[in-house]
Amino acid sequence: MTDTELAQRDAPTRQGPATSFRHFIDGAYVESISGRTFENRRPFDNGLIGHVAEGGREEIDAAVNAARAALDGPWGKLTVDDRSDLMRAVADGITARFDDFVAAEMADTGQPKSMMAHAFIPRGAANFKVFADVVKNVATESFQSPTPDGTGAINYSIRKPKGVIGVISPWNSPLLLMTWKVAPALACGNSVIVKPSEETPGTATLLGEVMNAVGVPKGVYNVVHGFGPDSAGAFLTEHPGVDAITFTGETRTGTAIMKAAAEGLRDVSFELGGKNSAIVFADADLDAAIEGIMRSVFLNCGQVCLGTERVLVERPLFDRFVATLKAKAETLRPGHPEDKATSFGPLISREHQKKVLSYYERARRDGATIVTGGGVPDMPAEMAAGAWVEPTIWTGLPDDSVVIHEEIFGPCCHIRPFDTEAEAVAIANNTQYGLATTIWTRDLSRAHRVAANVDVGITWVNSWFLRDLRTPFGGSKQSGIGREGGVHSLEFYTELRNICVKL
Ligand code: NAD
């Protein structure tokens, strides 16, 4: 049975039999060399999806050799136009297999099918189209320089692929976040080795079939499954044959990867954690602010790096805002991802559920008023073993509570009143993180002023998660290193070389 047939057979079903998720190395699916595998379980009922091959040093070696050989083979000789066409073919290939990708991602994450189908999978395909255009349209710089003999010189620069790129990705929207890195890396002519999250091996595995189907040469796209420390993740980042590492995940994992990358002075691009604020001024359009903050707090069960966990509301609006958000949050319906009535999915795993519930408990101990939620919802027996938590809102936490300072990555927020613009900015900036913020106001001057003063990489005004993929994306402070998106991705995935010609 092919991997396609296995994915089709198992992923969307409620009690499907075990599937194998194998590595994809040098254009072929391969078993774990050590024979070690681990389980992949559905978050909504803890049922077994299948077993995943666990990669060790040997698989990473094989993938690095394949990726290196690809650079020296036909892939390295393609023109930019050829590569751009291939990237478009990959996007079309994902679209052609749309239902398989939706099913695989839905099984791995447990999130509602509608969200997969309308947002996360189409964005996975769109990433390839965007970078297919970017690489074709970017110019490089040129300078004319005077020389003592009067004849002058011209300088121009060219972009070269960096080489073999290690891509380490998280579980919170697996295809979208992985292709956000794989697409520009390949469009620029690199080869990649992807280590997807151990929680979500599905779509990275499936993408290998698309790569083969559309004719991406073998060794260009490789996938090795496994964990982080002392497993495929660490072995990939430590491997001297990897020229640069792009990573999305937790800030402390970024620290470990940066240490590994120091050996051999390899370049890194990091998209890390956040503890993002929303700032709601009293003149805001309340309906729009509630609608936007409902999404930024609860979408994907709160497992969005750009999501809001701290809501700051100008005092005259505070009570009304809290009551309205509470009423809306209580309309969220947890359920099976395929049921149309489901508007709220589970957390990624029971381990993560334990972590989020520990913050729910900590909020209680720190004296929070629990506006809504705070526990585990009653689920039907067949889903009771899933990683469910209630959408939760708190008020009244002291400013030094860890609940306000640490990233929880769950469907929860603390709402706090403020009195002045300066106070709101100071509270928003009182964090080690600096990923994103949203500002809700009708006063445009204030919106611009506050946006410039909050220390984050991405600010939305009267909106959230509105993404133009050409814009710079990344975090300030401990939320990241570097910017990806549009031409900014080229800064990481290519090396700019200067050529000076004496005339
Ligand atoms: P994580 O850091 O636990 O894991 C991410 C990946 O790193 C996984 O593939 C994991 O196996 C691997 N890994 C773990 N330890 C490693 C090590 N020592 N060496 C090499 N690889 C290692 O993160 P997660 O729990 O999967 O994802 C959630 C986190 O990701 C949150 O902090 C969230 O804010 C962040 N995130 C950030 C962005 C962004 O754009 N800034 C986007 C999405 C998620």
Side-chain angles (χ1 to χ4, degrees), residues 397-468:
L397 276 168
D399 283 340
D400 62 353
S401 170
V402 294
V403 177
I404 287 176
H405 292 283
E406 293 179 5
E407 182 186 47
I408 301 170
F409 224 50
C412 52
C413 68
H414 177 251
I415 315 182
R416 182 202 194 284
F418 70 86
D419 293 299
T420 66
E421 182 183 311
E423 184 194 7
V425 169
I427 298 168
N429 284 340
N430 182 20
T431 168
Q432 60 175 327
Y433 293 111
L435 189 53
T437 198
T438 63
I439 300 166
W440 299 88
T441 179
R442 286 189 166 100
D443 179 340
L444 218 49
S445 298
R446 174 159 59 195
H448 287 295
R449 202 165 52 233
V450 174
N453 287 327
V454 180
D455 299 332
V456 291
I458 304 144
T459 297
W460 279 283
V461 175
N462 297 329
S463 60
W464 178 72
F465 219 162
L466 190 57
R467 290 274 296 121
D468 182 324

Side-chain angles (χ1 to χ4, degrees), residues 131-185:
F131 290 104
D133 287 343
V134 168
V135 284
K136 276 177 76 162
N137 294 313
V138 70
T140 53
E141 62 201 24
S142 161
F143 293 98
Q144 296 191 17
S145 316
T147 54
D149 65 3
T151 59
I154 52 170
N155 288 275
Y156 66 95
S157 38
I158 55 170
R159 286 192 183 275
K160 291 296 228 180
K162 225 166 219 172
V164 175
I165 309 285
V167 178
I168 302 194
S169 51
W171 44 259
N172 58 319
S173 39
L175 181 72
L176 184 160
L177 291 170
M178 176 196 55
T179 55
W180 176 241
K181 293 167 176 302
V182 169

Side-chain angles (χ1 to χ4, degrees), residues 39-55:
E39 288 181 349
N40 182 23
R41 290 194 168 271
R42 286 187 298 261
F44 69 89
D45 65 356
N46 204 37
L48 187 68
I49 302 171
H51 289 86
V52 188
E54 184 183 348

Side-chain angles (χ1 to χ4, degrees), residues 236-265:
L236 176 61
T237 58
E238 289 163 9
H239 200 292
V242 173
D243 298 303
I245 300 159
T246 177
F247 166 71
T248 301
E250 287 189 24
T251 294
R252 70 169 172 205
T253 310
T255 307
I257 292 177
M258 203 164 177
K259 284 181 183 155
E263 200 61 50
L265 298 171

